[in-house]
Amino acid sequence: MHYFQFEIKEWISNTAHLTLEEEAVYLRLINYYYDSEKPIPNDIALISRKLRISNIEVTKGILHEFFEESGEGFIHNRCDVEITRYKAKSEQASRAGKASAEKRANASLTPVQRPSNQS
């Protein structure tokens, strides 16, 4: 996923109690989640290292406050909703593009070359 809508008021209301370090960690975790489009691995030390977060305790705290731990990793329901919307929109655009390309290709054919819809 290369884009997500950033709701500033929602972000501020959800993170106003965090320190700057905690907010930065949360933003890195969210960005990782959107980029990978899958849960954050349960290995907190590994994910902290990958995201260049030096304080593993802060990573743990943010994951446990804002994410839900599962067998697949740490999940974030809001991110999952946005990823689902993004994929649906992308698939719809792909189908529309293919239909448009097919229509243009068929329009350039002479009547004799056009495929028949009759069986």
Side-chain angles (χ1 to χ4, degrees), residues 41-81:
N42 287 321
D43 187 339
I44 296 173
L46 174 66
I47 200 65
S48 293
R49 185 168 174 253
K50 275 187 168 184
L51 298 179
R52 300 181 330 269
I53 302 168
S54 58
N55 191 333
I56 293 174
E57 292 306 312
V58 171
T59 306
K60 282 181 190 176
I62 295 298
L63 285 169
H64 289 290
E65 181 174 351
F66 293 100
F67 294 78
E68 182 181 325
E69 194 169 3
S70 74
E72 299 173 30
F74 289 91
I75 59 173
H76 193 285
N77 292 324
R78 170 66 189 270
C79 290
D80 288 337
V81 167

Side-chain angles (χ1 to χ4, degrees), residues 89-105:
K89 189 174 181 179
S90 179
E91 288 171 12
Q92 181 183 10
S94 177
R95 284 192 305 272
K98 288 176 184 175
S100 177
E102 185 178 327
K103 186 176 179 180
R104 284 191 312 274

